[in-house]
Amino acid sequence: MSDDGRQHNGHEKVPSRRRSRFPGISSRAYEHPADRSALVALRKLSGFDTVFKALSGLLPERSLRLLFLSDSVRVSDQQFTHLHDMLLDACYILDLEKVPPMYVNQDPQPNAMCVGLDEPVIVVTTGLVELLDEEEMRAVIGHEVGHALSGHAVYRTILLFLTSLAVRVAWIPLGTLAITAIVTALREWFRKSELSADRAGLLVGQDPRASMRGLMKIAGGNHLHEMNVDAFLRQAEEYEEAGDLRDSVLKILNVLPRSHPFATVRAAELKKWSESRDYQRILDGHYPRRNEDKDTSVGDSFRESAAHYANHVKSSKDPLMKLVSDLAGGAGDLGGRVRRGFEGFASAPPKGGAKDGAKGDSGDGSGDGPEAGPKDRPPTDGAPSDDRD
């Protein structure tokens, strides 16, 4: 337990609210299956981290550290002491021995990130500090500590390099296409890594409502009296079930350029995990340990990831996922269902109109489809992603 104001492993006094602590916890305990399988595979590659860290000279990491040191406020026992206490508490609960340096950067946009190859650095903006209450902020800091524990900071920093490289090789035939394909794949992994870090934030705060409330505020601002978590979660259900195959395609197109899942989707995923047996088992002290990571099977991790996606397809209410599930199950008339699902995209009237010359129906009456979601915010200070928590 995180005891009342006691010293732990050299850490300073932690907040008085008692929480379960997880000594030696492996990040595999909370990682999303797709994130976990990728990380297990990467960790099995001998010298992989060493090679990536050797690239640090090609990355603006040193410049970023100097920038934060010179133009931000470092969190300590003398500056932003309440954030310092939360950081120490998060590291204590997740048993992260080396506390990452943390900075507050002047920026009205609510944002946070964890970057770095040699040493993770956590940065939060003033917009985020002013937006969230104590319990919501605790979940955000736990989110970033989760990134550090998983080693996400190492791999996420590479995106900055690849994104920069894509610009430099734009003149080479097929060069941009190859880099863009890699960046797109990395973004898909990043979106899953955000779900992992959300779970880490929940393990630190151990208050599901506060975690979801923070995501709601990031979506709707500091108007808590005008918002409702349950209604916000119903938005996620409506988003998943919305429309026909056209909407399913638009969802994919909207999310492709983003480094983060949509806020309602993150809240719904976190709620589902908070109610799962996996979460309760961790709270009860049953979780994988770090000293077992070296014995983890890559094959088992990929099989778990494949099983997760198969179950997701079967249980999803999204029209495209339903179609895929039916296809796998051998359902009939799939051609007709696909045709009906996409006929709204056609601009010409359907064949076989009324014989009296009346105009045919120009579609299914649903209009032009939903507007595209808001564009993903640009990275903060050149960071590889806008780690909105």
Side-chain angles (χ1 to χ4, degrees):
M1 304 292 288
S2 181
D3 299 326
D4 298 3
R6 293 177 58 189
Q7 302 274 337
H8 300 287
N9 297 332
H11 290 178
E12 297 181 19
K13 189 166 69 173
V14 298
S16 60
R17 182 173 179 270
R18 297 173 66 86
R19 295 176 177 83
S20 297
R21 183 181 179 242
F22 312 107
I25 188 172
S26 168
S27 59
R28 292 181 291 114
Y30 59 79
E31 285 164 352
H32 184 279
D35 177 28
R36 186 191 311 133
S37 61
L39 291 174
V40 167
L42 290 173
R43 290 164 185 154
K44 288 290 184 179
L45 294 178
S46 178
F48 181 80
D49 287 353
T50 303
V51 172
F52 265 169
K53 289 177 181 179
L55 293 174
S56 60
L58 302 176
L59 298 168
E61 181 183 5
R62 296 178 69 89
S63 176
L64 283 175
R65 290 180 185 278
L66 289 172
L67 180 62
F68 296 141
L69 191 62
S70 64
D71 206 32
S72 301
V73 175
R74 182 159 57 190
V75 173
S76 69
D77 58 354
Q78 296 177 316
Q79 301 185 116
F80 289 101
T81 55
H82 70 294
L83 298 181
H84 183 58
D85 286 342
M86 291 183 198
L87 177 62
L88 294 176
D89 198 37
C91 292
Y92 172 68
I93 289 173
L94 294 180
D95 200 16
L96 186 65
E97 293 184 4
K98 189 172 183 180
V99 179
M102 181 174 171
Y103 294 88
V104 175
N105 183 45
Q106 170 61 30
D107 187 342
Q109 175 180 303
N111 199 359
M113 62 182 176
C114 180
V115 294
L117 291 175
D118 293 320
E119 182 181 71
V121 175
I122 296 173
V123 181
V124 297
T125 65
T126 52
L128 189 68
V129 174
E130 294 164 4
L131 177 66
L132 303 182
D133 67 24
E134 180 177 345
E135 292 304 306
E136 296 157 4
M137 194 69 200
R138 190 184 303 280
V140 167
I141 292 175
H143 175 113
E144 300 306 330
V145 170
H147 277 313
L149 181 59
S150 287
H152 289 152
V154 173
Y155 310 121
R156 293 167 69 87
T157 305
I158 298 303
L159 180 62
L160 178 61
F161 172 70
L162 291 176
T163 303
S164 175
L165 183 62
V167 176
R168 297 177 186 176
V169 302
W171 60 275
I172 303 176
L174 300 181
T176 302
L177 183 61
I179 296 296
T180 300
I182 296 173
V183 170
T184 300
L186 279 173
R187 280 180 176 154
E188 169 61 16
W189 168 61
F190 285 175
R191 290 191 287 270
K192 296 302 184 289
S193 76
E194 287 303 311
L195 300 180
S196 298
D198 284 344
R199 295 175 179 183
L202 178 58
L203 289 175
V204 168
Q206 297 171 30
D207 185 346
R209 299 292 285 189
S211 293
M212 289 182 280
R213 198 168 61 238
L215 290 168
M216 182 176 66
K217 280 187 176 181
I218 288 172
N222 192 19
H223 303 279
L224 188 59
H225 63 287
E226 298 284 356
M227 298 184 289
N228 179 278
V229 171
D230 294 326
F232 186 64
L233 291 170
R234 285 195 293 272
Q235 286 182 227
E237 294 179 8
E238 183 178 346
Y239 172 77
E240 183 179 5
E241 300 172 5
D244 50 27
L245 293 179
R246 292 172 298 165
D247 297 290
S248 297
V249 172
L250 290 172
K251 291 177 193 176
I252 295 172
L253 295 177
N254 284 344
V255 81
L256 275 179
R258 295 176 60 93
S259 59
H260 289 60
F262 293 113
T264 57
V265 174
R266 290 173 66 181
E269 286 284 340
L270 192 58
K271 180 177 183 294
K272 186 185 303 181
W273 191 71
S274 71
E275 296 171 347
S276 70
R277 186 168 176 266
D278 290 339
Y279 175 62
Q280 189 57 53
R281 281 179 57 82
I282 295 174
L283 292 182
D284 292 340
H286 305 294
Y287 50 82
R289 263 62 175 181
R290 252 169 267 167
N291 57 13
E292 303 167 349
D293 285 349
K294 62 181 182 300
D295 301 321
T296 306
S297 166
V298 176
D300 289 345
S301 297
F302 276 109
R303 279 189 289 273
E304 289 177 11
S305 179
H308 167 81
Y309 278 112
N311 290 333
H312 173 71
V313 169
K314 289 180 181 179
S315 62
S316 176
K317 298 177 182 178
D318 179 82
L320 181 59
M321 293 297 101
K322 285 184 177 179
L323 181 64
V324 171
S325 180
D326 288 347
L327 179 62
D333 193 30
L334 287 176
R337 289 180 57 183
V338 173
R339 184 170 59 253
R340 289 192 297 273
F342 283 105
E343 64 185 6
F345 279 125
S347 57
K351 296 179 181 180
K355 293 182 179 180
D356 60 4
K359 292 181 179 180
D361 189 359
S362 61
D364 61 2
S366 60
D368 296 328
E371 293 181 354
K375 293 182 180 179
D376 207 17
R377 295 186 177 96
T380 298
D381 292 332
S385 69
D386 58 336
D387 209 350
R388 290 172 288 164
D389 301 286

